[in-house]
Amino acid sequence: MSEDPVLAGYRQSIDNIDAAMIHILAERFRITQAVGAYKAAHQLPASDPGREERQIARLRALAVDAKLDPEFSEKFLRFIIQEVIRHHEQAAEAGTGAKA
């Protein structure tokens, strides 16, 4: 049975969006790794809870405007923030000679 052309078109769009999201996340993490190195070099804390909460509030509002579930967007962002903090902590440990 051949694939439905309408469904194939939707799936191609989804595949394109998924690829774009991966590239965007990769770029975001390249930047946050630079931030982690900067923080480590200047002995700044790995996390900034105030900024994190402001970002979550800002992106929840954007999610509402975009008709995206704000609870989902918050969970997604918190996951990313946790990973960034982990990278920053590793950078700080590497900067002090500790093993990650």
Side-chain angles (χ1 to χ4, degrees):
M1 178 175 183
S2 65
E3 188 173 16
D4 179 309
V6 173
L7 184 57
Y10 290 146
R11 287 180 173 163
Q12 182 61 53
S13 292
I14 290 168
D15 291 350
N16 290 343
I17 293 166
D18 288 346
M21 287 179 9
I22 292 300
H23 288 284
I24 289 168
L25 283 171
E27 182 62 19
R28 188 185 197 288
F29 277 97
R30 275 191 287 280
I31 295 165
T32 60
Q33 285 174 342
V35 169
Y38 180 87
K39 285 181 171 185
H42 292 85
Q43 299 178 336
L44 298 170
S47 70
D48 183 343
R51 171 158 168 76
E52 293 155 17
E53 290 306 315
R54 287 189 304 275
Q55 281 294 92
I56 288 167
R58 185 177 74 83
L59 293 178
R60 280 183 66 97
L62 287 171
V64 169
D65 290 344
K67 310 273 189 280
L68 178 66
D69 179 0
E71 293 296 320
F72 167 78
S73 65
E74 180 174 341
K75 287 178 191 175
F76 183 72
L77 184 59
R78 284 193 186 276
F79 175 76
I80 291 171
I81 289 170
Q82 289 171 348
E83 189 65 10
V84 167
I85 291 169
R86 187 176 71 79
H87 290 175
H88 289 184
E89 289 169 346
Q90 288 174 339
E93 289 171 4
T96 61
K99 300 238 186 235

